[in-house]
Amino acid sequence: MNSGRVLVALLIVTGLAGTLVGGPTIFFRMGLLGVLLLIGARLWVSIVGRSLRLTRQPEFWRASVGDIFKEQYEILNTSRLRGGWVELYNEMPLPTAAGSRLMTRVDPGEKQSYVGRTWLTRRGGYPVGPTRLIISDPLGLFRLERRFPAERALVVLPMVVPISN
């Protein structure tokens, strides 16, 4: 159990117990604060989760064994809330596929981008995806998962070796 959940649970339990025993209004306010934090965190995750946009653009769709496969990842936050914790998982079946990343802060209206590089070691056809995003609120109370399916495939051809006369 993470520390955010422990804090909210303590606020609610202490507030409820203190209110039932007949204590001052501070206990009622503590319980109310815990409930409001719970509701606010859930709303935060759902709003930010719906407003994140992901684009994944490979440099090429055909390559040879031994090449470096480069992909540009872009995450755009279209909401007015900051994305507290965003995990991006590249679930491409390519051996040693790179591109998974953790972003701790995606500000409102901000676009974050980076390049994932994978050394191609095996020939074959590989779907470019799926990609999984996991969004969490700043306290870590709730997590929301979004999946983006693969749209196209990368074709890795055998290694090309130049032949001299």
Side-chain angles (χ1 to χ4, degrees):
M1 189 173 221
N2 69 10
S3 59
R5 289 182 183 176
V6 170
L7 172 69
V8 171
L10 281 174
L11 282 172
I12 293 172
V13 168
T14 305
L16 183 63
T19 303
L20 290 177
V21 171
T25 59
I26 187 78
F27 290 113
F28 175 74
R29 290 181 181 163
M30 284 175 62
L32 185 61
L33 176 65
V35 170
L36 289 176
L37 280 174
L38 208 60
I39 292 169
R42 181 67 185 133
L43 285 173
W44 185 295
V45 164
S46 63
I47 290 170
V48 172
R50 282 193 311 253
S51 65
L52 286 180
R53 305 287 179 255
L54 171 71
T55 55
R56 183 176 173 171
Q57 186 60 45
E59 188 176 52
F60 44 76
W61 294 103
R62 286 182 177 269
S64 298
V65 171
D67 290 345
I68 302 293
F69 177 61
K70 295 180 190 174
E71 281 186 284
Q72 177 81 25
Y73 293 87
E74 287 184 358
I75 293 183
L76 173 66
N77 184 0
T78 60
S79 78
R80 294 185 181 189
L81 298 174
R82 174 182 288 170
W85 192 268
V86 180
E87 301 171 51
L88 187 142
Y89 292 101
N90 176 14
E91 296 180 342
M92 185 176 182
L94 185 67
T96 67
S100 297
R101 179 78 47 110
L102 169 68
M103 287 161 269
T104 56
R105 193 174 99 187
V106 183
D107 289 330
E110 181 184 27
K111 180 189 294 185
Q112 288 190 7
S113 63
Y114 64 94
V115 176
R117 293 175 178 86
T118 304
W119 182 40
L120 300 176
T121 58
R122 212 180 282 167
R123 65 185 182 150
Y126 301 98
V128 180
T131 309
R132 186 168 44 121
L133 277 181
I134 298 177
I135 302 103
S136 179
D137 64 282
L139 292 176
L141 300 176
F142 295 100
R143 295 166 55 104
L144 178 78
E145 183 175 313
R146 290 184 59 197
R147 288 187 170 277
F148 298 89
E151 295 176 3
R152 288 185 63 186
L154 168 70
V155 177
V156 181
L157 303 170
M159 185 180 287
V160 177
V161 180
I163 301 175
S164 60
N165 292 344

